[in-house]
Amino acid sequence: GNSVTQMEGPVTLSEEAFLTINCTYTATGYPSLFWYVQYPGEGLQLLLKATKADDKGSNKGFEATYRKETTSFHLEKGSVQVSDSAVYFCALSGSAGGTSYGKLTFGQGTILTVHP
Amino acid sequence: GAVVSQHPSRVICKSGTSVKIECRSLDFQATTMFWYRQFPKQSLMLMATSNEGSKATYEQGVEKDKFLINHASLTLSTLTVTSAHPEDSSFYICSANDAGAGYGYTFGSGTRLTVV
């Protein structure tokens, strides 16, 4: 079945530091890949997505590139802010026509804390 | 953008009682909605797929008689936790896909259920 593995957290950074959160996946076919962010006490918000190999998703300074050869979708940001402190989830959705199409499989989440 | 409203955001109930959680797509129609459960400091696990006008599809290990799902219209799905027990205490989140938004899943803000 499908699976998503994220780097272990928590991650603690100083403001303006560079952020990388690793994400690798296992899936058949051509899944779509997502990064979601969850702020304390809230639901999930879509941060960015990529639907095919070599696509780069970007939003709010965050980027991730769909690498099929390494089955990865690492999240990066060049300069983090205190307001970026949250839990980040990598997720995938199975390819169209498959049994897992439309269902999201999540990684375990990575807690990010950014200090001033 | 697509908005999914989930209600209530928090609920406390006594053991043995039932609790209903609503998930509404506010500005789009959703023939399919998904229900997830999140345990503290853990990732989200898909519980079931809610299908408008037909029976829900439950993931392995999820008791369909305990977690009743009804998707009576294109904008509303409900999850009823029946005969709740303390171990049902969790964070429940729904999601729906606004196809017009380009294959992005929108999540509700979640419901924190505490069974005492």
Side-chain angles (χ1 to χ4, degrees):
Chain A
N2 297 337
S3 67
V4 176
T5 302
Q6 285 180 238
M7 73 184 271
E8 293 279 338
V11 174
T12 302
L13 296 173
S14 297
E15 206 165 24
E16 299 184 2
F18 184 85
L19 169 70
T20 298
I21 301 178
N22 289 340
C23 172
T24 57
Y25 68 90
T26 302
T28 56
Y30 303 93
S32 293
L33 302 174
F34 306 84
W35 276 100
Y36 284 88
V37 58
Q38 185 176 34
Y39 298 100
E42 297 185 15
L44 271 73
Q45 299 176 28
L46 177 64
L47 182 59
L48 52 85
K49 65 182 180 184
T51 58
K52 60 182 187 296
D54 299 325
D55 268 2
K56 176 186 284 189
S58 61
N59 185 27
K60 300 180 181 179
F62 291 90
E63 292 183 341
T65 301
Y66 188 153
R67 301 288 188 197
K68 192 164 178 64
E69 64 275 14
T70 55
T71 61
S72 65
F73 193 54
H74 305 322
L75 181 68
E76 297 182 335
K77 186 174 185 180
S79 176
V80 293
Q81 305 300 312
V82 172
S83 57
D84 293 327
S85 298
V87 183
Y88 291 82
F89 292 94
C90 184
L92 71 81
S93 176
S95 51
T99 58
S100 61
Y101 180 62
K103 302 177 182 179
L104 286 170
T105 300
F106 287 87
Q108 65 268 41
T110 302
I111 300 172
L112 171 65
T113 303
V114 180
H115 293 297
Chain B
V3 177
V4 172
S5 173
Q6 192 171 336
H7 178 80
S9 58
R10 295 178 184 273
V11 58
I12 300 173
C13 70
K14 294 183 178 181
S15 290
T17 62
S18 296
V19 174
K20 180 183 287 187
I21 303 169
E22 293 187 348
C23 180
R24 294 181 184 272
S25 55
L26 294 187
D27 48 3
F28 65 99
Q29 294 182 333
T31 56
T32 302
M33 292 185 178
F34 301 93
W35 287 96
Y36 296 83
R37 181 175 181 177
Q38 185 180 28
F39 291 97
K41 299 183 180 180
Q42 294 188 31
S43 189
L44 288 82
M45 299 296 293
L46 178 66
M47 297 176 64
T49 303
S50 174
N51 304 298
E52 188 269 334
S54 64
K55 292 183 179 180
T57 305
Y58 291 82
E59 296 299 302
Q60 190 173 7
V62 177
E63 300 175 61
K64 62 180 181 181
D65 294 331
K66 180 165 190 61
F67 299 100
L68 300 179
I69 292 173
N70 183 277
H71 195 151
S73 76
L74 287 170
T75 59
L76 174 64
S77 174
T78 61
L79 168 68
T80 302
V81 183
T82 63
S83 187
H85 291 285
E87 56 264 32
D88 299 325
S89 298
S90 191
F91 194 53
Y92 295 87
I93 305 177
C94 67
S95 78
N97 179 29
D98 180 6
Y103 198 53
Y105 294 86
T106 302
F107 284 83
S109 54
T111 298
R112 172 74 62 193
L113 170 63
T114 303
V115 184
V116 297

